[in-house]
């Protein structure tokens, strides 16, 4: 979620989207609820949408037994006929907002969402993780072994992750 939020903020800074954009600009399959849901509503858990995983659970499909794609989560979200509350009027933590935000980010960023962050970003992220007891996970799946000139891409940042994913 922190990487999705950071990606959204970087895209906003680059002028490629605005936090005030109606999500239907990027996700036309989402219904018109009478009040626009903005990207900011997705990131701040004030969107009014139900959690897609909880909706799926009610249908008898436990989250822990099946792997879901972002497109399946989008289909579940798009079938919601009404919101729990008007966007911006309340807070309720759920995964739908960040799943939709990730779907918005991917085509704008290009290359499947791969985004090379500045060294300063990774150093600051490591510091935040250390200060708050957060595990820093480095996803090395796309970069692969030694494809960046070093054994692992994280070595370019001088940052040691707590966990590293490889494939």
């Amino acid at each position: 979620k922190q990487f999705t939020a950071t990606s959204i903020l970087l895209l906003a800074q680059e002028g490629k989207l605005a936090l005030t954009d109606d999500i239907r600009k990027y996700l036309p399959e989402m219904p018109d609820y009478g009040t626009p849901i903005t990207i900011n509503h997705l990131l701040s858990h004030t969107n009014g949408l139900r959690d897609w995983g909880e909706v799926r659970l009610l249908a008898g499909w436990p989250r822990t037994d099946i792997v879901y794609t972002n497109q399946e989560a989008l289909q579940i979200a798009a079938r919601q006929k009404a919101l729990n509350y008007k966007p911006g009027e309340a807070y309720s933590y759920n995964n739908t907002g960040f799943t939709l935000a990730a779907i918005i980010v991917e085509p704008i960023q290009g290359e499947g969402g791969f985004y090379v962050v500045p060294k300063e970003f990774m150093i600051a992220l490591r510091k935040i993780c250390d200060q708050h007891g957060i595990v820093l996970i480095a996803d090395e799946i796309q970069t692969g072994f030694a494809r960046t000139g070093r054994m692992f891409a994280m070595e370019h940042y001088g940052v040691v992750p707590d966990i590293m994913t490889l494939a």
Side-chain angles (χ1 to χ4, degrees), residues 52-66 68 76:
W52 68 265
E54 294 300 319
V55 171
R56 192 73 160 158
L57 183 63
L58 290 172
W61 295 92
R63 290 172 107 166
T64 57
D65 293 347
I66 299 172
Y68 299 101
I76 292 168

Side-chain angles (χ1 to χ4, degrees), residues 23-159:
I23 65 169
R24 293 182 326 123
K25 177 178 180 180
Y26 308 97
L27 305 169
E29 48 276 87
M30 290 300 292
D32 180 353
Y33 296 110
T35 301
I37 298 172
T38 66
I39 294 173
N40 189 51
H41 291 136
L42 297 180
L43 299 182
S44 61
H45 299 288
T46 60
N47 52 65
L49 293 163
R50 292 167 185 87
D51 184 89
W52 68 265
E54 294 300 319
V55 171
R56 192 73 160 158
L57 183 63
L58 290 172
W61 295 92
R63 290 172 107 166
T64 57
D65 293 347
I66 299 172
V67 175
Y68 299 101
T69 66
N70 282 348
Q71 287 306 310
E72 289 169 321
L74 174 59
Q75 290 170 0
I76 292 168
R79 284 195 295 263
Q80 294 183 29
K81 304 289 183 211
L83 299 173
N84 285 335
Y85 52 84
K86 186 177 173 182
E89 287 191 353
Y91 171 90
S92 64
Y93 182 89
N94 71 60
N95 292 304
T96 302
F98 275 89
T99 302
L100 296 180
I103 295 168
I104 289 170
V105 165
E106 190 171 353
I108 297 171
Q109 278 187 326
E111 197 175 339
F114 188 72
Y115 192 88
V116 180
V117 297
K119 184 176 182 175
E120 297 77 22
F121 173 85
M122 288 306 295
I123 292 169
L125 183 61
R126 173 78 269 177
K127 184 177 179 181
I128 291 168
C129 289
D130 290 343
Q131 288 173 342
H132 299 283
I134 300 168
V135 175
L136 177 61
I137 302 171
D139 182 351
E140 295 275 348
I141 292 172
Q142 187 172 13
T143 56
F145 290 111
R147 289 171 52 194
T148 66
R150 302 243 173 118
M151 185 61 163
F152 302 109
M154 284 298 288
E155 293 176 15
H156 292 282
Y157 298 110
V159 171

